[in-house]
């Protein structure tokens, strides 16, 4: 293997050092919270509500996956899925509090604490939380072999693909301090390929695993449904021509119309229309009485 630095093949620009060093503040919109080390930055206990399931989150796509799942479970009659949803303000660094780090050592939302078990069970990573809840309540996870396997295929597809959409395209298109054509081109190409993968699959399937709505749909929709509706990263929908993916549009609209999805999108939301912002959720009645427009009026 050659010892030559691959960067030597490219035009002059950023000179890659032999050893990387952290320059604080060099991270675009999220520079104040990004850091190359783990662990807590301050002591802060997490609040605990009255329900067995305690969710600590924010209405990012990964957070919305879990609140949609919980609302779907409740809509399906699973009373044990009642939950308290506490707001974690990642822009303020709440995810680095000692209590949050105990639930998720990776300091990322969402994080779930199930207090119905003999010892409280921590569950982190959104895909893991969806699978945990599906198994716990026996819902939204097909049991038939082929459909079950398809659900798992697409669940893990989403977990592997989201970094290209959010961490790659979204960052360089919307959040980076400068626009770099190479980076935007690289991730736009991959995101459009992913949209085409979805569009081709949904051309012959109602839902991701076939005829049955599942955690695969719940995982994928907050990312790609949001993008398909033109609600992600400013003008990204126009930039990526999302309207051209007709099967994705059909699937997106069908899921968006589900009442549980509408509620799930609202939980831990602190942006957008005040009537769609429910900062914390502790009871089903909160959707009627505690949205931002009602609290502020």
């Amino acid at each position: 293997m050659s010892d030559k630095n691959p960067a030597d093949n490219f035009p002059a620009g950023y000179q890659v050092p032999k050893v990387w060093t952290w320059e604080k503040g060099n991270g675009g919109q999220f520079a104040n919270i990004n850091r190359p080390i783990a662990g807590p930055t301050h002591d802060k206990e997490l609040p605990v509500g009255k329900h067995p399931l305690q969710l600590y989150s924010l209405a990012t796509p990964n957070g919305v996956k879990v609140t949609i799942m919980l609302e779907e479970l409740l809509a399906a009659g699973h009373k044990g899925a009642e939950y308290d949803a506490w707001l974690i303000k990642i822009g303020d660094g709440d995810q680095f509090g000692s209590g949050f780090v105990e639930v998720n050592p990776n300091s990322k939302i969402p994080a779930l604490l199930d207090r119905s078990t003999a010892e409280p069970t921590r569950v982190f990573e959104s895909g893991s939380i969806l699978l945990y809840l599906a198994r716990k309540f026996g819902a939204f996870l097909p049991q038939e072999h082929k459909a079950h396997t398809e659900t798992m295929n697409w669940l893990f597809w989403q977990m592997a693909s989201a970094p290209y959409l959010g961490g790659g395209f979204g960052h360089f298109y919307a959040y980076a301090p400068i626009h770099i054509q190479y980076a935007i081109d690289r991730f736009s190409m991959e995101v459009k390929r992913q949209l085409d993968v979805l569009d081709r699959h949904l051309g012959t399937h109602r839902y991701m695993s076939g005829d049955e709505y599942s955690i695969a749909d719940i995982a994928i929709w907050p990312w790609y449904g949001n993008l398909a509706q033109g609600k992600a990263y400013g003008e990204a929908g126009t930039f990526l021509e999302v309207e051209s993916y007709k099967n994705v549009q059909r699937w997106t609209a069908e899921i968006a119309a589900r009442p549980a999805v509408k509620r799930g999108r609202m939980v831990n939301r602190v942006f957008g229309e005040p009537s769609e912002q429910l900062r914390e959720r502790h009871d089903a009645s909160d959707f009627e009485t505690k949205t931002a427009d009602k609290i502020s009026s």
Side-chain angles (χ1 to χ4, degrees), residues 247-262:
N247 299 312
V248 174
Q249 291 293 334
R250 184 270 307 163
W251 169 83
T252 293
E254 182 174 353
I255 292 178
R258 296 177 69 91
V261 172
K262 293 178 180 180

Side-chain angles (χ1 to χ4, degrees), residues 82 87 117 120 200:
E82 271 293 353
L87 180 64
T117 54
R200 290 168 184 264

Side-chain angles (χ1 to χ4, degrees), residues 54-73:
Q54 300 293 301
L55 178 67
Y56 305 95
S57 191
L58 180 70
T60 67
N62 284 334
V64 167
K65 292 178 195 176
V66 179
T67 48
I68 287 177
M69 177 64 169
L70 289 165
E71 291 298 327
E72 291 281 15
L73 287 167

Side-chain angles (χ1 to χ4, degrees), residues 142 147 204-214 217 254:
T204 55
H205 300 78
R206 180 181 178 185
Y207 297 117
M208 296 309 301
S209 63
D211 295 327
E212 188 174 346
Y213 177 68
S214 73
D217 301 283
E254 182 174 353

Side-chain angles (χ1 to χ4, degrees), residues 54-230:
Q54 300 293 301
L55 178 67
Y56 305 95
S57 191
L58 180 70
T60 67
N62 284 334
V64 167
K65 292 178 195 176
V66 179
T67 48
I68 287 177
M69 177 64 169
L70 289 165
E71 291 298 327
E72 291 281 15
L73 287 167
L74 290 169
H78 297 280
K79 296 180 180 180
E82 271 293 353
Y83 67 104
D84 292 281
W86 303 94
L87 180 64
I88 298 296
K89 296 175 285 187
I90 61 175
D92 294 345
D94 289 353
Q95 69 275 34
F96 299 116
S98 56
F100 189 89
V101 174
E102 285 181 10
V103 180
N104 185 356
N106 196 38
S107 292
K108 301 289 184 181
I109 61 95
L112 180 73
L113 192 66
D114 183 357
R115 301 175 72 243
S116 71
T117 54
E119 288 187 19
T121 301
R122 71 177 189 181
V123 196
F124 58 91
E125 290 297 325
S126 57
S128 178
I129 296 173
L130 291 181
L131 191 55
Y132 179 87
L133 292 171
R135 288 174 170 169
K136 180 179 178 73
F137 294 101
F140 304 110
L141 182 60
Q143 297 304 301
E144 188 273 327
H145 174 72
K146 182 177 180 181
H148 179 91
T149 304
E150 276 292 286
T151 300
M152 300 304 291
N153 288 341
W154 288 107
L155 175 66
F156 283 96
W157 175 87
Q158 189 280 319
M159 299 301 293
S161 298
Y164 286 97
L165 174 53
F169 172 77
H171 180 80
F172 287 107
Y173 179 81
Y175 302 134
I178 58 172
H179 281 155
I180 303 169
Q181 182 178 351
Y182 173 78
I184 293 174
D185 285 350
R186 169 70 180 88
F187 288 107
S188 296
M189 183 182 301
E190 181 62 17
V191 170
K192 285 184 72 67
R193 189 189 68 80
Q194 291 173 0
L195 285 167
D196 194 44
V197 168
L198 286 174
D199 202 61
R200 290 168 184 264
H201 179 72
L202 290 167
T204 55
H205 300 78
R206 180 181 178 185
Y207 297 117
M208 296 309 301
S209 63
D211 295 327
E212 188 174 346
Y213 177 68
S214 73
I215 56 173
D217 301 283
I218 293 171
I220 295 168
W221 187 87
W223 283 101
Y224 293 90
N226 205 36
L227 181 66
Q229 291 181 325

